Amino acid sequence: MKNLMRCCALVVCVIAAYSDNALAAYPDKTIIMVIPLAAGSAVDNAARILAPEMSKALGQSIVMENRPGASGIIGAGRVATAAPDGYTIGAFNDSILTMVPNLQSPMPWDPIRDFAPVSLVATLEWALVASPTLPYKTAADLIAAAKAAPGGIDYASGGNGSPQHIAMALFAASNHLNMLHVPYRGATPAAVGIAGGQSQVGFSALATVKSLVDGKNLKLLGVSSQHELEQTPGVPTISASGSPGFIFSSWFVIVAPHGTPPDVVDRLNQAIKVALANPDVRAKLIAQGAMPTGSTPAQLGKMTEDNLAVYKKLIQDNHIQAN
């Protein structure tokens, strides 16, 4: 019996040593960061600022992989079903975890059960934009035009259940407007559609549309933040220029597959903290309207659960539908 106990103890020690060595080696190969959104979207732009500094902190390269489609469902599924070893992670907006699941049924994955939260990276500032050919100058102008022509003004979004869809649906509901939803395959195509005149207006993260606004290809009607933004001097808030109390923003987060070891999640979290402490990274994010934040995995998990419930109520109360 004593020999058996010694043998079992030895096996336990070997397993523990193997696990410690495996963790110490992490990461020992390239990490894939899946972005379930179109290239040029706010999260894509911010992720490409963050990833190189994360890579330095981890001592391994990070390869970006865009998997857009179905408002993020397809790319998120790629993360949900990946091996939980820290070598496949997801760069998501909050819509994927808190909005889309309240509009799409059935879902191929569960936003709480199938992902391990790693960190909130940044909050994203949003704006109301219009085709430069339209006469609108403020949110009030758009509201007046939409009330004068019910159903006559369309808005572009990155797809059913996307944050662009939710933002405009909430704006329309709060101002008693009847507007036509035109879903595109991603936030960037939606912005390009407005710039090209195929669609008239839309909400978008500032990071997605800033280059189009700077190039005079899109007209910026207002920002949906609580206060005017340093990045857009002279542009009023939507709340102060037509829709009192209207505020909308979103997040950029990093998640891993459910079951990823806590120590690996912590190592990724620490790498994000190091990246966000870099003044150059912070300045680049802020210039795009992405406000560096950071969080613990537990804080992100709680935020996700809370906002999943908040958006469920908002979507139900405002009768927002996927189509």
Side-chain angles (χ1 to χ4, degrees), residues 98 120 123 251 253 293-295 297-309:
T98 65
L120 169 67
T123 56
W251 324 327
V253 306
T293 307
S295 76
Q299 286 170 336
L300 175 57
K302 180 69 163 53
M303 287 175 63
T304 301
E305 290 184 6
D306 289 350
N307 280 272
L308 186 66

Side-chain angles (χ1 to χ4, degrees), residues 29-279:
K29 63 180 180 180
T30 297
I31 297 169
I32 297 172
M33 181 181 285
V34 179
I35 306 171
L37 304 158
S41 63
V43 167
D44 179 73
N45 289 335
R48 292 177 190 278
I49 295 170
L50 177 77
E53 292 303 316
M54 278 187 69
S55 177
K56 291 177 185 177
L58 292 167
Q60 280 292 337
S61 59
I62 297 177
V63 174
M64 321 297 282
E65 180 182 300
N66 289 89
R67 285 282 188 98
S71 299
I73 292 176
I74 294 171
R78 160 92 165 87
V79 179
T81 57
D85 54 11
Y87 291 102
T88 301
I89 59 177
F92 291 5
N93 62 14
D94 55 329
S95 166
I96 292 170
L97 297 173
T98 65
M99 302 178 199
V100 173
N102 282 311
L103 283 169
Q104 305 287 350
S105 181
M107 286 287 292
W109 42 260
D110 184 276
I112 305 300
R113 186 181 62 242
D114 292 333
F115 300 103
V118 175
S119 181
L120 169 67
V121 178
T123 56
L124 305 174
E125 301 291 0
W126 278 62
L128 176 62
V129 295
S131 167
T133 61
L134 295 175
Y136 318 139
K137 294 182 179 179
T138 67
D141 293 338
L142 172 60
I143 291 169
K147 286 186 174 179
I153 295 176
D154 65 62
Y155 67 93
S157 86
N160 291 324
S162 67
Q164 300 84 29
H165 177 198
I166 298 298
M168 187 61 86
L170 290 173
F171 176 81
S174 63
N175 291 289
H176 310 289
L177 308 177
N178 178 10
M179 301 175 70
L180 178 64
H181 177 213
V182 181
Y184 285 71
R185 291 180 60 82
T188 306
V192 172
I194 300 170
Q198 288 82 34
S199 292
Q200 294 170 287
V201 298
F203 272 95
S204 185
L206 188 58
T208 302
V209 297
K210 194 166 189 310
S211 63
L212 291 169
V213 171
D214 291 344
K216 310 297 184 185
N217 296 304
L218 278 177
K219 188 182 294 185
L220 192 55
L221 304 184
V223 292
S224 59
S225 51
Q226 189 170 2
H227 305 289
E228 292 186 18
L229 300 176
E230 181 181 342
Q231 303 94 318
T232 56
V235 177
T237 66
I238 293 167
S239 179
S241 60
S243 185
F246 184 84
I247 296 172
F248 187 88
S249 64
S250 61
W251 324 327
F252 162 32
V253 306
I254 299 293
V255 300
H258 174 74
T260 300
D263 288 340
V264 172
V265 169
D266 183 64
R267 190 162 294 183
L268 289 166
N269 181 276
Q270 292 302 316
I272 293 168
K273 285 184 179 177
V274 170
L276 293 181
N278 184 308

